[in-house]
Amino acid sequence: MFYVDKRLQFPVRVETPNPLFARALQQAIGGVEGEIRVAMQYFFQACGARGDPKFRDLLMNTAAEELGHIEMLATAVALNLEGAPLSMQEEASADPVAGAILGGINLKNLLSAGMSAMPVDSDGVPFDMSHIYASGNIAADMGANVAAESTGRVLAVRLSNMTNDPGMKEMLSYLIARDTMHQNQWLAALEELGGNEEVFPIPNSFPQTDENQDFNYTFLGFQNDGSEPVQGRWSEGPSIDGNDAFSSRPMEPMGDVPNLGRAAEGSGAQAEQL
Amino acid sequence: MFYVDKRLQFPVRVETPNPLFARALQQAIGGVEGEIRVAMQYFFQACGARGDPKFRDLLMNTAAEELGHIEMLATAVALNLEGAPLSMQEEASADPVAGAILGGINLKNLLSAGMSAMPVDSDGVPFDMSHIYASGNIAADMGANVAAESTGRVLAVRLSNMTNDPGMKEMLSYLIARDTMHQNQWLAALEELGGNEEVFPIPNSFPQTDENQDFNYTFLGFQNDGSEPVQGRWSEGPSIDGNDAFSSRPMEPMGDVPNLGRAAEGSGAQAEQL
Amino acid sequence: MFYVDKRLQFPVRVETPNPLFARALQQAIGGVEGEIRVAMQYFFQACGARGDPKFRDLLMNTAAEELGHIEMLATAVALNLEGAPLSMQEEASADPVAGAILGGINLKNLLSAGMSAMPVDSDGVPFDMSHIYASGNIAADMGANVAAESTGRVLAVRLSNMTNDPGMKEMLSYLIARDTMHQNQWLAALEELGGNEEVFPIPNSFPQTDENQDFNYTFLGFQNDGSEPVQGRWSEGPSIDGNDAFSSRPMEPMGDVPNLGRAAEGSGAQAEQL
Amino acid sequence: MFYVDKRLQFPVRVETPNPLFARALQQAIGGVEGEIRVAMQYFFQACGARGDPKFRDLLMNTAAEELGHIEMLATAVALNLEGAPLSMQEEASADPVAGAILGGINLKNLLSAGMSAMPVDSDGVPFDMSHIYASGNIAADMGANVAAESTGRVLAVRLSNMTNDPGMKEMLSYLIARDTMHQNQWLAALEELGGNEEVFPIPNSFPQTDENQDFNYTFLGFQNDGSEPVQGRWSEGPSIDGNDAFSSRPMEPMGDVPNLGRAAEGSGAQAEQL
Amino acid sequence: MFYVDKRLQFPVRVETPNPLFARALQQAIGGVEGEIRVAMQYFFQACGARGDPKFRDLLMNTAAEELGHIEMLATAVALNLEGAPLSMQEEASADPVAGAILGGINLKNLLSAGMSAMPVDSDGVPFDMSHIYASGNIAADMGANVAAESTGRVLAVRLSNMTNDPGMKEMLSYLIARDTMHQNQWLAALEELGGNEEVFPIPNSFPQTDENQDFNYTFLGFQNDGSEPVQGRWSEGPSIDGNDAFSSRPMEPMGDVPNLGRAAEGSGAQAEQL
Amino acid sequence: MFYVDKRLQFPVRVETPNPLFARALQQAIGGVEGEIRVAMQYFFQACGARGDPKFRDLLMNTAAEELGHIEMLATAVALNLEGAPLSMQEEASADPVAGAILGGINLKNLLSAGMSAMPVDSDGVPFDMSHIYASGNIAADMGANVAAESTGRVLAVRLSNMTNDPGMKEMLSYLIARDTMHQNQWLAALEELGGNEEVFPIPNSFPQTDENQDFNYTFLGFQNDGSEPVQGRWSEGPSIDGNDAFSSRPMEPMGDVPNLGRAAEGSGAQAEQL
């Protein structure tokens, strides 16, 4: 279960409110790389964790951390929206700057939320919980978390590059640092699960003897001219999971032309299909 | 640009059509772990790839491969739907088996698609292209791809465990093998980008001196009783990126109680908030 | 503006309630081929109709008709849900029929709506208003309407084939008839706009001299072996719009390999991309 | 069933077209606080109303009213879009005003709808019919309607504050008045159902003796320091439903640490979880 | 900021796992009436609360409570999924019970989540954060919360009626009790804001002299025959907000036939519309 | 299965990058009229095609073509985003032009994609695969394709009218030409299926004797005053399918007032409804 402290995890201050930057910050709340995503992802992974209970703890603690990050960002959005114009000039030409600001923000931040944050991205699209990856496979989950923190830190860096406000710079410096830790943290969890050679291929509980042995370590090219595909670490040398060696070759069809035959009577097809 | 061959990439045959299994296979087409996702993800990553052009090639070739996997699975769904009942008994009690089948499938496969596959998941939810992660950061993209192939292979294994049909087993054995390769392939790409120590933290172009130095390698605990958080590889030893050492500690609030003050005149708040 | 009459447009009666059929009927309410779609599509097309006002009238009248169809279907869903079990046996094995029924319906019809209809499809997915095609081009709109009524009638036929209930058969016989009329009605509107030769290509207000003259009446093949594409009415003879003659040929790339160059400083890419 | 009158429910005129205001008005059409929502919510509540038929009539009449409001707003959007630029300057710097306007509108209003209204919100997000709350419980429905009209009137007030156009002011003055009535109307319906003491807790058909007697009138605090939660009308005095007295206290866990055990064989987990 | 305790807020135990009931419970997690909705709604309302800070505290504490409810329900879903079949018989007729169970569950709970809970509803539709109503108007928010808890308790009662499992009955008895309190709690907050006469119409900061005085307390009928609309508390007597008296009458159009004129050159319309 | 060629189907060049135009182009990628839609629609129609296999070939070839169009447009978006500002001025007033540009683009193109294209529309809304119409009825599919290419060409024309960039004009001239061909191509397929008199009403496999004979060729008016509905080709003369003659008349209710009776015990209704 969860508890709250009234105070913020880290100070949030805005020296010069910037409604356009409020819009950008919304991506870090409700974007697919944002904090709702990681908070809820770790939460659901924790709730469904089977096996060693330490992973449940690890995940639930970080879920709690991320909830506090949403709170910080929501505060930052509201503070940046201070000063956004609440009315429109009859003719935009009379005041292009105000027009640009009003046109440049997510109008829902004004119209739906009264100058506050919303669980939407920087273009006003609501967050969709299908982005919560919690697979029941602990290694797949850790990999999804590395990926989430990677795009999360890329986003935070872009936001930091976008602003000169010292308060916002400071807040983002903290969030970027936490993303550094979280990338490392989930990588460390993968190492604890045995590292690449033990973890991959995910799931490691399926006997590889049951997978097609001709195609499990071959990089396939699909170039129209049948040429050799682009070479790299993926086309030669030992596989990353250590179970075989990479090779590569152009692919050709092994199946037939599919034919579903005639449509069934009563299936709503045209008579010509029956 | 793209070309087609009329033949399938790999043989698809169904010995005993099973409409419930058709529903399960839909997850591999239109689920978030499915083939539309990877096909389109690699495609958009390729289209936006900047830097070394070999990554564009690598991605676009595998996008082409995945398009062929969608085709295989769509064929498999249609073949498994053969024999699904097209009518309902007036009273389900008269024929519980038919009732269970009809109730157990995605009705849209019948009602919308006439016994064919759709770009929806196993519960009939359409695929949403927000799941296409293409960040403009090549390492973040590779990580997202490892994650996608990990949940993809977990799904394919679950599907394989669910069926005894020899044709479906064979098809899934191929798809599982390809997921093995693809996990290794994207891991190999990360190795080509320098491996963990060069790649992380993503993005590696942001100077770490600009991130908060007190919190970038510390595992934080958020337990109500202030106890030390769960220990593991994430709490001690060198960080995975090799840039520092892990530590851990319970977290406490560093910010103040946030206060947005009074609502603005004309902002649609209650008078008590003004 | 709109008015109501308390009575239904057409009688709705159910002799033997069938909760599974209630689920199927939901597709005709909230499916993409359903009545909400056409009601709202005609409504928004009417609201945005520019040019001859008779199209606004035509559309708004039929929007009113379709609203009455939603009402009929919602009544049919509620009547079919009568008798659905409200409780589950502890062990499904004790009563497979009840289990099949309860498992086979959209649970939201019970849990969210208390045995009533919802604006969702037959798999419980809510209708999404992005399916309202209202383009501002009256001919494109009429074509979208023909398409909507075509899939709508296909759906109604499938539903009719699925049931033996005399009341439901009678209601669907009416709805199918109306779909026949509506297909003809929108085709008639296209004829009034001049028929294929005047209407196409849509929009007919763009000078065809400004479109690429080498590719506007040629069926292009994209087969890997460079073979001639499949022949038919589309590959020879006069074009349907009467403006040229069809031809066909295999396609080859005319562009270069795209190259976006290096990533910009500060864009959150990996250092290797800069 | 429904009928139309060609005329609008209330005059809609725009003195000075303002494309940015057209964008804002879209929120009142396709936003979650908008008119599609209430029109469809009342419609589906009416279709599923069981018990005293007067509620069906009440709801369906107001559904008809709201359909007319959508029509008014769609007309207002189209009129405000008049004069929106249809082309872009090569360099935005050449005409910042036009750039601000074009950048500030929902581009879909131009690109998809040809300068007409769409069923989307002010950021271009399509309305999703999952927002139609029709619970099968008449009191819950009335409460949802009060809530919908409250956010609806807040939105209309914000829109009115945003514009100086006399025609738009007049239209919004009418819509705001109707929201006043509708808030009162649904509150009156709750009063007709017995007022707070009869209506709550919803549903009033569940015996309160079957709910946990230790926690049904206690305000629980979840503050980390175990302090007494914030006091107010919710923490002392008779409960609003008149069935008990409020109290308050800090909460503590009553359950155990959850443990799902090991993962099942064949469930796609990692071997370490089995 | 947030903290966790490893223990559950209230005991969760399942005597007889029932995978169909797991599906039903998903509605209480990811349905629009579910716990993610209230947890996130109170959280965002708290983050955007302006005016008296006690409302922020009130909201954030209850947000913490609801997070614990999600955790309880997620645990209950996982426990009920124990024993769900992981494979399908080749022919469903061989085992209708297993077929009914497998067909009756959300397949994503198996295929995507490995027998764990997901943030989806009982038909597998992911939760969409557009359902988080946080308007910036504290009274509108409280009303939305009463509505959310009303449908929430209706849902919990339906779930309780659906099961005989003593553990599940006990857990739901707790959740139903909390919904009773929460309905009362938000009603108490409205009383603290002044009760119906002070609170309504929402927002109370807009001068009612600026709304249309002819239509703000009149129940309008939209019946085709022009008959007097259904009478009730809403058609006579003092208005609930105490500011006027109700009346009623049939409505007639006050506006003209709308006419958008010809389409603009270059707007992509048909030539006939220009 | 699919193959790639590294080169683009047609040259893509941008003389003067325009980030606002990049936003507009996104509609042609991820809008409902865009290229993802047609690529995937033809692909799924091909995969589910029953009857004469030439339609499968026809569809799959054009699916391949459309994939190449997405690639072209994605390249065009990335090239137009070159030069978009990556940072914001502290005060927008200092540089209204940059503010207008930054406010006017889809921020996700910067924040999520690093100045690359995404599968979203011009307002940043992700493409939703429910727009893939593949009905299992070949004629309904062809009609849906005509409709898709009609709105597609309308969109391309609007985009062409919006830009003066010679490179973009040239690319759009090609895409508009292909839409001309594709409209004609699908119309030709309908002609090959027999033309209007053989094809309609869709599906032509349902015996028209089973549809209500009183309403299948009558244009119904729903005007409140009972007046004759608007006359046109749809109200007199032979029906377009040649099976009957059109007529018209005002409609009146034929059903009763629907009455669902009392709510069921245990269904979560208010006691007053039972």
Side-chain angles (χ1 to χ4, degrees), chain E residues 5 114 119 173 250 262 272:
Chain E
D5 188 293
S173 168
R262 316 296 304 172
E272 290 73 15

Side-chain angles (χ1 to χ4, degrees), chain B residues 154 157-158 161 223-225 265-269, chain D residues 154 157-158 161 223-225 265-269:
Chain B
V154 168
V157 161
R158 287 172 179 157
N161 288 345
Q223 291 172 158
N224 189 47
D225 58 5
E265 287 289 333
S267 71
Chain D
V154 168
V157 161
R158 286 172 179 157
N161 289 344
Q223 291 172 156
N224 190 47
D225 57 5
E265 287 289 333
S267 71

Side-chain angles (χ1 to χ4, degrees), chain F residues 201-240:
Chain F
I202 293 172
N204 64 359
S205 59
F206 183 79
Q208 281 195 267
T209 49
D210 287 358
E211 70 185 16
N212 186 309
Q213 300 297 310
D214 297 329
F215 289 97
N216 51 356
Y217 290 98
T218 305
F219 175 53
L220 296 176
F222 289 81
Q223 291 173 155
N224 190 47
D225 57 5
S227 61
E228 192 65 21
V230 59
Q231 300 296 296
R233 179 64 186 86
W234 46 82
S235 54
E236 57 186 343
S239 67
I240 307 298

Side-chain angles (χ1 to χ4, degrees), chain A residues 87-104:
Chain A
S87 70
M88 285 173 172
Q89 303 300 321
E90 285 163 359
E91 298 171 84
S93 56
D95 185 354
V97 175
I101 293 175
L102 205 51

Side-chain angles (χ1 to χ4, degrees), chain B residues 47 125 168 182 208:
Chain B
C47 289
V125 179
M168 289 294 92
H182 292 157
Q208 281 196 268

